[in-house]
Amino acid sequence: MYSLDNYGTMIADRVRLDAHAEALRRVVTPSTVVVDIGAGTGIMSLLACKFGARRVYAVEPSPAVQLLVEAARDSGYADRIVVLQRRSNEVTLPERADVIVSDLRGVLPPFRTHFADIVDARERLLAKGGRLVPATDTVWIAPVSAQEAFEERRRPWQDRDGLVLRSALRVLDSSPFKHRARPEDLLGPAARWADIDYQRITSFALRGAGSCNVARAGTAHGLLAWFDTVLVEGVEYSNAPGTVDGIYGQFLFPWPEPISLQEGDSVAFDVRADPIGGDILWTWTSEIRRGGSLDAGTTRFRQSTLNSRLTLPDSLRKRAESFTPTLSPAGIRGLEVLEGIRAGKTVGEIAARLLETHPDRFRSMDDAQGFVAELIEHFCV
Ligand SMILES: C[S@@+](CC[C@H](N)C(=O)[O-])C[C@H]1O[C@@H](n2cnc3c(N)ncnc32)[C@H](O)[C@@H]1O
């Protein structure tokens, strides 16, 4: 969940916001219906109204979207904005949208359920011939020198005073992280990793391979990735090193050790982003070819965020098709609450029953009501 300060930082990113404003200015007319997915505090919804949209549906599960109710009223758009505090895959609308605007990316476009959410919205909420903003993203990859970030991250986990801490390094080496590189940190021109056309994507996984020629000798610490976006034709921005510092930055896929590169070497990569359980499983293979050829001097790394998830084996086991789940004590209490709701009981009645049947778990009515409220938040309208 983002904080209000996070949303403020997003709004303060002028490159991003001005580009979205220009894109909306170009595609919104007085007859346009807009769906703002991931509305946050509603900045895109307000812009769409400013450019004349007939109706805007602001869809956002965070309570931050309630600020839009006030902002819409104060800006004079209350009659045109409908606020839906939900995830997009949970809403149905009375009409289809001419424009769906969103920014559901993280540092890179593969982020949580982004692609699945856009495909779902495109299929269910967008009118035939309607537009998605952004229209396309292109992701680039280049070998990067990032000594300070690499060392700073690893420093706390060096063995010291007889304590062996290095097991954490395995996790760090399997965790890509946000980084802000300078153009001179890139050791060669970038290669294209992926093109994402939001009107066309059908698969939620992304895989791409390529090769970067090393143009400048230096010590590399991994692969740097960033994206350029086309919001609508002619309205674009980039998060490449050296462009104005926006909210995104770049993503660094670290190598387990620094590698000295010479001009004429090449770095072949194969990077995959597989959505699993609401998150992205990243796998990146790097092959450092001396003089550009594949021979005995080639260094290979195969890394994956699978190794950074300390609890994954258990959660993977529970996802297996053959797994038969049983309710935990918390699950049993949850079921009682849901049954109470289905039977038409009030929050007070359900909480009182919980207090009576689980005195070891709930100490007060407040405590029990809090538990009921959490389930209501998730499962009730
Ligand atoms: C990066 S913020 C963008 C906020 C705002 N639109 C802006 O551009 O400043 C992304 C927002 O999308 C929301 N979000 C993510 N997936 C969503 C979905 N499927 N439906 C609705 N909101 C979603 C998140 O809660 C978050 O508030």
Coordinates of all heavy atoms in Angstrom, one line a residue, residues 142-150 179-188 216-224 252 255 258-259 261:
A142 N 21.6 -3.2 -20.3 CA 23.0 -2.9 -20.6 C 23.9 -3.3 -19.4 O 23.4 -3.2 -18.3 CB 23.3 -1.5 -21.0
P143 N 25.1 -3.8 -19.6 CA 26.0 -4.0 -18.5 C 26.4 -2.7 -17.8 O 26.6 -1.7 -18.5 CB 27.3 -4.7 -19.1 CG 27.2 -4.3 -20.5 CD 25.8 -4.0 -20.9
V144 N 26.4 -2.7 -16.5 CA 26.6 -1.5 -15.8 C 27.7 -1.6 -14.7 O 27.8 -2.7 -14.0 CB 25.3 -1.0 -15.1 CG1 24.8 -1.9 -14.0 CG2 25.4 0.4 -14.7
S145 N 28.4 -0.5 -14.5 CA 29.3 -0.4 -13.3 C 28.6 0.3 -12.2 O 28.0 1.4 -12.4 CB 30.5 0.4 -13.8 OG 31.4 0.5 -12.7
A146 N 28.6 -0.4 -11.0 CA 27.8 0.2 -9.9 C 28.5 -0.1 -8.6 O 27.9 -0.7 -7.7 CB 26.4 -0.3 -9.9
Q147 N 29.8 0.2 -8.6 CA 30.6 -0.3 -7.4 C 30.1 0.1 -6.1 O 29.9 -0.7 -5.2 CB 32.0 0.2 -7.6 CG 33.0 -0.4 -6.6 CD 34.4 0.0 -6.9 OE1 34.7 0.4 -8.0 NE2 35.3 -0.2 -6.0
E148 N 29.7 1.4 -6.0 CA 29.3 1.9 -4.7 C 28.0 1.2 -4.2 O 28.0 0.7 -3.0 CB 29.0 3.4 -4.8 CG 29.4 4.2 -3.6 CD 29.2 5.7 -3.9 OE1 29.8 6.2 -4.8 OE2 28.3 6.3 -3.3
A149 N 27.0 1.1 -5.1 CA 25.8 0.4 -4.7 C 26.0 -1.0 -4.3 O 25.5 -1.6 -3.4 CB 24.8 0.6 -5.8
F150 N 26.8 -1.7 -5.2 CA 27.1 -3.1 -5.0 C 27.8 -3.3 -3.6 O 27.4 -4.2 -2.8 CB 28.1 -3.5 -6.1 CG 28.3 -5.0 -6.2 CD1 27.4 -5.9 -6.8 CD2 29.5 -5.5 -5.7 CE1 27.7 -7.2 -6.9 CE2 29.8 -6.9 -5.7 CZ 28.9 -7.7 -6.4
H179 N 18.0 1.3 -8.8 CA 19.3 1.9 -8.8 C 19.2 3.1 -9.7 O 18.3 3.2 -10.6 CB 20.3 0.9 -9.4 CG 21.7 1.5 -9.4 ND1 22.4 1.9 -8.3 CD2 22.5 1.7 -10.5 CE1 23.6 2.4 -8.7 NE2 23.7 2.3 -10.0
R180 N 20.0 4.1 -9.5 CA 20.0 5.3 -10.4 C 21.5 5.4 -11.0 O 22.4 5.8 -10.2 CB 19.6 6.5 -9.7 CG 18.2 6.6 -9.4 CD 17.7 7.9 -8.8 NE 16.4 7.8 -8.2 CZ 15.3 7.9 -8.8 NH1 15.3 8.1 -10.2 NH2 14.1 7.8 -8.2
A181 N 21.6 4.9 -12.2 CA 23.0 5.0 -12.8 C 23.1 6.3 -13.6 O 22.2 6.9 -13.9 CB 23.1 3.8 -13.7
R182 N 24.4 6.6 -13.8 CA 24.7 7.7 -14.7 C 25.0 7.1 -16.1 O 25.5 6.0 -16.2 CB 26.0 8.5 -14.2 CG 25.8 9.0 -12.8 CD 27.1 9.4 -12.2 NE 28.0 8.2 -12.2 CZ 29.3 8.2 -11.9 NH1 29.9 9.4 -11.5 NH2 30.1 7.1 -11.9
P183 N 24.9 7.9 -17.1 CA 25.1 7.4 -18.5 C 26.5 6.8 -18.6 O 26.7 5.8 -19.2 CB 25.0 8.6 -19.4 CG 24.2 9.6 -18.6 CD 24.4 9.3 -17.2
E184 N 27.5 7.4 -17.9 CA 28.9 6.9 -18.0 C 29.1 5.6 -17.2 O 30.2 5.0 -17.4 CB 29.9 8.0 -17.5 CG 29.7 8.5 -16.1 CD 28.8 9.7 -16.0 OE1 27.8 9.8 -16.8 OE2 29.0 10.5 -15.1
D185 N 28.1 5.2 -16.5 CA 28.2 3.9 -15.8 C 27.9 2.7 -16.7 O 28.3 1.6 -16.4 CB 27.2 3.8 -14.6 CG 27.6 4.8 -13.5 OD1 28.7 5.2 -13.4 OD2 26.6 5.2 -12.8
L186 N 27.3 3.0 -17.9 CA 27.0 1.9 -18.8 C 28.3 1.6 -19.6 O 29.0 2.5 -20.1 CB 25.9 2.4 -19.8 CG 24.6 2.7 -19.2 CD1 23.6 3.2 -20.2 CD2 24.0 1.6 -18.3
L187 N 28.5 0.3 -19.7 CA 29.8 -0.1 -20.4 C 29.6 -0.4 -21.9 O 30.5 -0.9 -22.5 CB 30.4 -1.3 -19.6 CG 30.7 -1.0 -18.2 CD1 31.3 -2.2 -17.4 CD2 31.8 0.2 -18.1
G188 N 28.4 -0.2 -22.4 CA 28.2 -0.4 -23.8 C 26.8 0.0 -24.1 O 26.0 0.2 -23.2
R216 N 33.5 0.0 -23.7 CA 34.4 0.7 -22.8 C 34.8 -0.2 -21.7 O 34.0 -0.9 -21.1 CB 33.6 1.9 -22.2 CG 34.3 2.8 -21.3 CD 33.4 4.0 -21.0 NE 32.4 3.8 -20.0 CZ 32.7 3.7 -18.7 NH1 33.9 3.7 -18.3 NH2 31.7 3.5 -17.8
A217 N 36.1 -0.3 -21.4 CA 36.6 -1.2 -20.4 C 36.2 -0.7 -19.0 O 36.1 0.5 -18.8 CB 38.2 -1.3 -20.4
G218 N 35.9 -1.6 -18.1 CA 35.4 -1.2 -16.8 C 35.0 -2.4 -16.0 O 34.9 -3.5 -16.5
T219 N 34.7 -2.2 -14.7 CA 34.2 -3.3 -13.9 C 32.7 -3.3 -13.8 O 32.1 -2.3 -13.5 CB 34.8 -3.2 -12.4 OG1 36.2 -3.1 -12.5 CG2 34.4 -4.3 -11.6
A220 N 32.1 -4.4 -14.3 CA 30.6 -4.5 -14.3 C 30.1 -5.2 -13.1 O 30.8 -6.1 -12.6 CB 30.2 -5.2 -15.6
H221 N 29.0 -4.8 -12.6 CA 28.4 -5.4 -11.4 C 27.0 -6.1 -11.7 O 26.4 -6.6 -10.8 CB 28.2 -4.3 -10.3 CG 29.5 -3.8 -9.9 ND1 30.1 -2.7 -10.5 CD2 30.4 -4.2 -8.9 CE1 31.3 -2.5 -9.9 NE2 31.5 -3.4 -9.0
G222 N 26.6 -6.0 -13.0 CA 25.4 -6.7 -13.3 C 24.7 -6.0 -14.6 O 25.4 -5.3 -15.3
L223 N 23.5 -6.4 -14.8 CA 22.7 -5.8 -15.9 C 21.7 -4.8 -15.4 O 21.0 -5.0 -14.4 CB 21.9 -7.0 -16.5 CG 22.7 -8.2 -17.0 CD1 21.7 -9.3 -17.4 CD2 23.5 -7.8 -18.2
L224 N 21.8 -3.7 -16.1 CA 20.9 -2.6 -15.8 C 19.7 -2.6 -16.8 O 19.9 -2.7 -18.0 CB 21.6 -1.2 -15.8 CG 20.8 -0.1 -15.2 CD1 20.9 -0.1 -13.7 CD2 21.3 1.3 -15.7
L252 N 18.5 -3.0 -11.2 CA 19.8 -3.6 -11.4 C 19.7 -5.1 -11.1 O 19.4 -5.4 -9.9 CB 20.8 -2.9 -10.5 CG 22.3 -3.0 -11.0 CD1 23.2 -1.9 -10.3 CD2 22.9 -4.3 -10.8
W255 N 25.2 -9.2 -10.4 CA 26.0 -10.5 -10.6 C 26.6 -10.8 -9.2 O 26.7 -9.9 -8.3 CB 27.1 -10.3 -11.6 CG 26.6 -10.2 -13.0 CD1 25.5 -10.6 -13.5 CD2 27.3 -9.5 -14.1 NE1 25.4 -10.4 -14.8 CE2 26.5 -9.7 -15.2 CE3 28.6 -8.9 -14.2 CZ2 26.9 -9.2 -16.5 CZ3 28.9 -8.4 -15.5 CH2 28.1 -8.6 -16.6
P258 N 31.9 -8.8 -9.1 CA 32.3 -7.9 -10.1 C 33.1 -8.5 -11.2 O 33.8 -9.4 -10.9 CB 33.1 -6.8 -9.4 CG 33.0 -7.1 -7.9 CD 32.6 -8.5 -7.8
I259 N 32.9 -8.1 -12.4 CA 33.6 -8.7 -13.6 C 34.2 -7.6 -14.4 O 33.6 -6.6 -14.7 CB 32.6 -9.5 -14.5 CG1 31.9 -10.6 -13.7 CG2 33.2 -9.9 -15.8 CD1 32.8 -11.8 -13.5
L261 N 35.5 -6.0 -17.5 CA 35.1 -6.1 -19.0 C 36.1 -5.3 -19.8 O 36.6 -4.2 -19.4 CB 33.7 -5.6 -19.2 CG 32.6 -6.4 -18.6 CD1 31.2 -5.8 -18.9 CD2 32.6 -7.9 -19.0

